[in-house]
Amino acid sequence: MGISVCEQAGVLPQHVAIIMDGNGRWAKSQGLPRVEGHRKGAGRVRDIIEWASDAGVKQVSLYAFSTENWKRPKLEITALMTLMATLLPLEIPRMCERGARLLTLGDVSKLPWIARKSLQKACKATENNTKIDVILCLNYGGQQEIIEGIKRFCASFQDADAKNEALEQLNAENFRAFLGRDDVLPVDLLIRTGGEQRISNFHLWDAAYAELFFTDRLWPEYSQADFQAALDDYAGRERRFGKTSEQLKGETHDG
Ligand code: IPE
Ligand code: IPE
Ligand code: MG
């Protein structure tokens, strides 16, 4: 009846994060300029929203531009921003049909005006959709996010005593509030396309216990079968979160 293995097993990831890599190499392999790889990659962004939503995933976060990507040639940065600014408004009707709410992560205030405007419009137009969150990560860096959290924490106390007491009680649960985006769930599955096996400063906090899945497929060629393969692989993982396998299976009686 079209039920995926993951749904049957009840182990569907709630939050899937994707490092969409390989646009430039795909373009090169076709004898095209890099920007054509980004254009083709944008089509897969449209697709993944559909595939993730159909699979029943609650959040999908997409690494679209890192804090390190500012080091790229100016021309490529401009092309990327322009592409996003022009394509995003065209996606609003489809996103609404799909029940997709657009959110952003990262300091979007540093993006060109045209990109900010387009993001604002798409976020506003989709804000009441509830089926799936699409979190576009732009000018995003995991280290920067943690630094901003520390700054917020430090700025939130009037006097040294209160700050010291809060410091004393600081832990992974209550620090999360200072990261400033309560909407974002812990990452369950982190997929990277393009063959590299690194995190590249993505979701350093939220992916602390994510299952990692690397594929050689270049992002412009990523398919629904590739995505399903990652979901199926995830369904077969045992997430122990520090416990033993026996504890998870309820075979031990000492906690
Ligand atoms: C990922 O593809 C897209 C962005 C980083 C914006 P790349 O542009 O990094 O593609 P490769 O890694 O050079 O093939
Ligand atoms: C990571 O890809 C960032 C995005 C996909 C937006 P990169 O291609 O920039 O990563 P590195 O620099 O090769 O690790
Ligand atoms: Mg790359």
Side-chain angles (χ1 to χ4, degrees), residues 19-21 63-66 69 72 192 196 198 200:
I19 302 176
M20 310 179 290
D21 198 20
Y63 209 5
F65 194 85
S66 73
N69 287 147
R72 292 198 177 193
R192 182 174 188 141
E196 313 293 356
R198 54 178 176 256
S200 301

Side-chain angles (χ1 to χ4, degrees), residues 238-240 243-253 255:
E238 186 180 62
R239 304 191 74 195
R240 292 194 286 279
K243 294 185 175 177
T244 67
S245 194
E246 289 72 21
Q247 280 178 301
L248 293 179
K249 289 175 186 131
E251 289 170 12
T252 57
H253 304 287

Side-chain angles (χ1 to χ4, degrees), residues 2 7 11 34 56 78 86 104 143 154 165 199 204 211 231:
E7 279 168 328
V11 279
R34 289 181 61 86
T78 306
T86 45
T104 63
Q143 290 179 332
C154 292
E165 198 185 319
I199 304 294
L204 295 187
E211 297 297 324
L231 295 181

